[in-house]
Each structure stands twice: as structure tokens, then as C-alpha cells.
Amino acid sequence: MTASTGTIIWSGNIGTASYATGTSVTLTATANSDSTFAGWNGACTGKTSTCVLTVSESENVTATFNLSSTPTPTPTPTPTPTPSPPPLIPATEYTIPTAGSAPWGITSGPDDNLWFTEFNANKIAKITTAGAITEYIIPTKDSKPADITSGPDGNLWFTEQGANRIGKITTSGTITEYIIPTAGSSPWGITSGPDGNLWFTEGSGNKIGRITPSGTITEYTIPTAGSAPLGITSGSDGNIWFTEAGANHIGKITTAGVITEYIIPTAGSTPWGITSGPDGNLWFTEQGGNKIGKITTSGTITEYTIPTVGSAPLGITSGSDGNLWFTEASANHIGKITTAGVITEYSLPTPNSWPSCITSGVDGNIWFAENVGNKIGKVAIPKPTLFNLSVTKTGTGSGTVTASMGSIDWNGNTGTASYISGTSIVLTAIAYSGSQYQVWQGCDFVHENRCTVTMLAAKSVSVLFEAIAYPSTLTITKTGTGSGSVTPDNLEWQHRQH
């Protein structure tokens, strides 16, 4: 700002000048390049750049300058592309005879069929690889059967979430039930352990349970309260691994009952299903975190985000193709993840089918339950690579060997079976009367009389049975009217004088 006469002395934005009374002064306001003059106030008014006033007394004048506001053009919004739905998976679906049965758990049975639970229908059912379904009613009403697994005894074992029991069903359909000691424990997941027992989770009981094939139950309390354990599986390290949905942990329990917990990096991940992978690690779903997790047997966790937001992954299993397969309940997808973490998703034919649990069948295909769709689904996997397993019985004794999956064809003391690449099998050696089990050879893992092998190539294992050497007894009787002694070498003689 300049004055037509005199000098304005500035201090910041305040300027002063002295004039004789009656002096006429013209003030000129000039805006800088980044500003505009907005107008006068006080002794001068208006928006012209000049102000003329006659000084008759002390006067106050205000000049207002504003920064230039160059209008920023509003960008044209770029439309968010609608993601293309995953490709439709070439799945075959089989409708369950009982309407609204709400199938949940599913597993491959020792009879080469698939067995599954019907949560709302109170039934256990089996489906052949050709799609024929047979259903069996559970004796206890409203038992709410949840998970199911093949047992080491050749039967199927399942949890009864509503009845607080563990159930057993033979391949011919005979059901036996065992009450869990902790009331209201809400048993959920179940798996066959390397020790020849069944292990299960107690969602409300906050415990891991163990049941022998004869029905004896032992329970182990999880250190973290309210952990809500759900999924459970056997690991390649000979331990049992489980998810803690309420505590955001992965848990490990030894066959002796010692529990270790590992925190999942993603908070509120709600881990659900868990399985042993072909790479020797444990893989699990994060229903709340929308991820697939991997944990090594030493406890290191890696997570992989599922492309579809809010997919709600639940079940997970190892496939015959060396990948992991999982269900996305809310997204109505089946997902596949490689051991390197690459995820592919596939849409299911039936809308809103809500796929829950998933397993690999002896036919090499992926089978899953559609909880809302009331169907069992099958995804055909390209013909897998088969490897032969040879089992040889040696020693002076005798016994038998059973397999957790498939059947062994015996020719004398040598048995053979073929398995899909990546399949893990538990062989159990059972000695006949008069013999005893000694040792396994050639196994990946041995626990007592059980041998675990993973078929990544042809394998040969052997088991040693030895005859039990019972001591022979020599009885010597002395008779007659006299007395004497008999003392052969190395005989501890006990006699009675007559």
C-alpha cells in the first residue's frame, strides 16, 4: 500500500503515518501476485484500489487482501470396476435325501466311501464315490453331530455338539455313544492321533479331549481361558494341533497332554479349520481374518490374504494334487492355495450353498459339505500320481498290520497298497497271541506300534514281530521210604524233606 504524500511506517501488517490537519491523502492498494484486493473499511469504504481521505483527526483505515483461489477442477470420478466373479468350478453335487439336514463335517472312510454329519437331521451318512447316499439315525435326539474322522480301529468317530458326547459308527452303521465328563463341553472337531487314540476339541469346555478306541476319555485344560477350540488335526511332528477361535491362537498338544500356544499375527482372525499339509506344515483358515495361515512345527506363522473380501473360510484339507483346498462359506467359493501361497478361487454351481467342511477322497477328488445347499459336492482333480507302499512282516513271531486309509493286499508276509502322491498313512502293528511287536523300519515317524508314512515316492517298510519265549518248567518228584537229593546243573532246587 502506498500514500500520495508522506511515508507509511510498517510493523508487520500495521502501518502509521503523521499528517497535518486538513491534509488530503490518496491511499493506493496494490495486491501481490498471489493475492487480490478485497476492499476498504473504516475511514475509507468500497472496493476500488484507491482511497481518498482528508485527515482532520486520527483516522483508521483497513485494507483487506485475500489469497487468490484458483478453482481446482473437480476430477471426473473413475468408476470402480466390478470384479469378475471367479470361474465356475466343474463340481458335481449330490442332494441329501433328508431336507434341511445341514451337513457339516466330512471325511474319507476306511471303506473308501465318504462319511458326513447332518447337524440338523441328527444323522450320520455315507456317500459312495458314485454318489449313492445312506443315512443312519443317531440314538440320542438333537445330538447336533459336527465333525467326523476315520479312527485307527476301522470305525468312524464323530462329535455330538448338542448331546455332549463322542459317537462311533461302524462301516455297517452301528452307533455307540460315549458321554464326555465335562458337562456342556460342546465338542466340535475330532481327529485320529498318532498314538492310536481319537482327539477332540471342547469349544465351551475349553479343553482338548482324548478318547481311546474302547471309550475311555481324558481331558486336558487349555491354559488360555475362553479359547473356544474348534478345528484339530495330527501334525507331522507326532503332536496334535488345534485352533483357538476365541483366543486367536494355534495350539499344540503332545500325546502326553502338554499344551503350547502360538499367537496369530492378525488380531481377531477367528481361526477355524486346520490340516496337515504336504510340506509338513500345518495350514489353517482364518474365518474373521479372511486369510489362510501356515504354521511350522516350530511355531512360525505366515498368512495369505484371500482375494474375495469377507469370504469366511472354514474347512481346509490337503489335496491329491499337492495343494491345500478350502471352503469360503460366505463367498460360496472353493479355494485352492499352493504351498507357496498362491490362491485360486472357484464359484459353486448352487447359489448360497454355504460350503463348510472339506476332505480328500480315496478317489483323489475333493469332497465338501454344502451346509445350506443340503448337498455334498465333489471337485474332480486331474488323475493323480500313484505310489506303491510295500509292508513286510519279519521275525519269529506273527501279527497283523492295518492301514488308516485303503486296504493292504497280503501275499504271505508281504503286503502292498497304492496311494495317491502326498497321502499320509498310519500303519498299526498288532501282535498275535504268543508274539510281541518289536520295531518298525523305513517309516517317516514311529510312535509305539504305529508307523506314519507320507507317499511322496514308492516306499518299503517292515515290522518285526518276535515270539515270546516262555520259561520251561522241569518238575522232579522224589518217592520211596528214604530221602536224598537231586542237583543237576543250573537248577534252583526247592525240595521238601520227607
Side-chain angles (χ1 to χ4, degrees), residues 56-82:
S56 58
E57 60 183 346
S58 295
E59 304 284 359
N60 291 303
V61 177
T62 301
T64 301
F65 298 91
N66 292 328
L67 286 172
S68 300
S69 57
T70 304
T72 302
T74 302
T76 302
T78 303
T80 302
T82 301

Side-chain angles (χ1 to χ4, degrees), residues 252-308:
K252 176 182 73 175
I253 182 170
T254 68
T255 53
V258 178
I259 295 176
T260 307
E261 298 171 288
Y262 304 92
I263 298 174
I264 298 172
T266 298
S269 70
T270 317
W272 200 281
I274 189 169
T275 193
S276 185
D279 56 353
N281 297 314
L282 289 303
W283 291 75
F284 57 95
T285 57
E286 299 183 19
Q287 190 264 342
N290 201 55
K291 297 178 181 180
I292 300 298
K294 175 183 73 176
I295 182 170
T296 66
T297 53
S298 61
T300 301
I301 295 177
T302 307
E303 298 172 290
Y304 305 93
T305 300
I306 297 171
T308 300

Side-chain angles (χ1 to χ4, degrees), residues 372-447:
V372 175
N374 202 51
K375 298 176 181 180
I376 298 298
K378 177 184 72 175
V379 176
I381 302 297
K383 189 174 181 180
T385 301
L386 297 177
F387 291 117
N388 290 328
L389 173 64
S390 175
V391 183
T392 304
K393 296 184 287 186
T394 64
T396 60
S398 59
T400 187
V401 174
T402 61
S404 60
M405 181 181 293
S407 58
I408 302 174
D409 295 325
W410 291 97
N411 182 8
N413 284 328
T414 301
T416 57
S418 293
Y419 291 100
I420 296 165
S421 175
T423 303
S424 291
I425 307 102
V426 178
L427 302 172
T428 303
I430 303 171
Y432 291 147
S433 177
S435 299
Q436 59 184 0
Y437 157 77
Q438 292 291 324
V439 67
W440 278 103
Q441 300 249 342
C443 308
D444 296 332
F445 176 79
V446 175
H447 184 275

Side-chain angles (χ1 to χ4, degrees), residues 8-362:
I8 302 175
I9 300 173
W10 292 98
S11 176
N13 286 327
I14 305 297
T16 59
S18 297
Y19 294 99
T21 300
T23 302
S24 177
V25 180
T26 300
L27 301 175
T28 302
T30 305
N32 292 333
S33 59
D34 62 344
S35 303
T36 58
F37 174 67
W40 300 99
N41 283 292
C44 288
T45 60
K47 294 184 178 182
T48 60
S49 60
T50 58
C51 161
V52 179
L53 71 148
T54 300
V55 179
S56 58
E57 60 183 346
S58 295
E59 304 284 359
N60 291 303
V61 177
T62 301
T64 301
F65 298 91
N66 292 328
L67 286 172
S68 300
S69 57
T70 304
T72 302
T74 302
T76 302
T78 303
T80 302
T82 301
S84 300
L88 190 68
I89 196 166
T92 305
E93 297 172 302
Y94 304 93
T95 300
I96 298 170
T98 301
S101 70
W104 186 266
I106 187 168
T107 193
S108 183
D111 56 352
D112 294 347
N113 296 313
L114 287 303
W115 289 75
F116 59 95
T117 60
E118 298 183 18
F119 193 82
N120 287 347
N122 202 52
K123 296 177 181 179
I124 300 297
K126 73 177 177 185
I127 180 171
T128 67
T129 53
I133 296 176
T134 307
E135 298 172 294
Y136 304 93
I137 298 175
I138 299 171
T140 300
K141 293 182 178 180
D142 299 321
S143 68
K144 303 296 183 186
D147 200 14
I148 188 168
T149 192
S150 287
D153 55 351
N155 298 312
L156 287 305
W157 291 75
F158 57 94
T159 55
E160 299 182 21
Q161 189 265 344
N164 201 52
R165 301 182 182 194
I166 300 297
K168 176 182 72 176
I169 183 170
T170 66
T171 54
S172 60
T174 301
I175 295 177
T176 307
E177 297 171 286
Y178 304 92
I179 298 175
I180 298 171
T182 299
S185 70
S186 297
W188 194 260
I190 189 167
T191 192
S192 184
D195 57 348
N197 298 311
L198 288 304
W199 292 75
F200 58 93
T201 57
E202 300 182 17
S204 297
N206 201 53
K207 298 177 181 180
I208 299 298
R210 180 188 69 195
I211 182 169
T212 66
S214 61
T216 301
I217 295 176
T218 306
E219 297 171 291
Y220 304 92
T221 300
I222 297 171
T224 301
S227 68
L230 290 177
I232 191 168
T233 194
S234 290
S236 60
D237 58 347
N239 297 311
I240 313 299
W241 292 75
F242 56 94
T243 59
E244 299 181 21
N248 205 50
H249 293 165
I250 297 297
K252 176 182 73 175
I253 182 170
T254 68
T255 53
V258 178
I259 295 176
T260 307
E261 298 171 288
Y262 304 92
I263 298 174
I264 298 172
T266 298
S269 70
T270 317
W272 200 281
I274 189 169
T275 193
S276 185
D279 56 353
N281 297 314
L282 289 303
W283 291 75
F284 57 95
T285 57
E286 299 183 19
Q287 190 264 342
N290 201 55
K291 297 178 181 180
I292 300 298
K294 175 183 73 176
I295 182 170
T296 66
T297 53
S298 61
T300 301
I301 295 177
T302 307
E303 298 172 290
Y304 305 93
T305 300
I306 297 171
T308 300
V309 177
S311 67
L314 293 178
I316 188 168
T317 191
S318 288
S320 62
D321 57 352
N323 298 311
L324 289 301
W325 291 76
F326 57 95
T327 59
E328 299 179 23
S330 294
N332 202 50
H333 295 163
I334 296 295
K336 176 180 72 175
I337 182 170
T338 68
T339 53
V342 179
I343 295 178
T344 308
E345 297 174 286
Y346 305 94
S347 296
L348 290 174
T350 299
N352 304 314
S353 68
W354 227 79
S356 54
C357 291
I358 191 168
T359 194
S360 184
V362 294

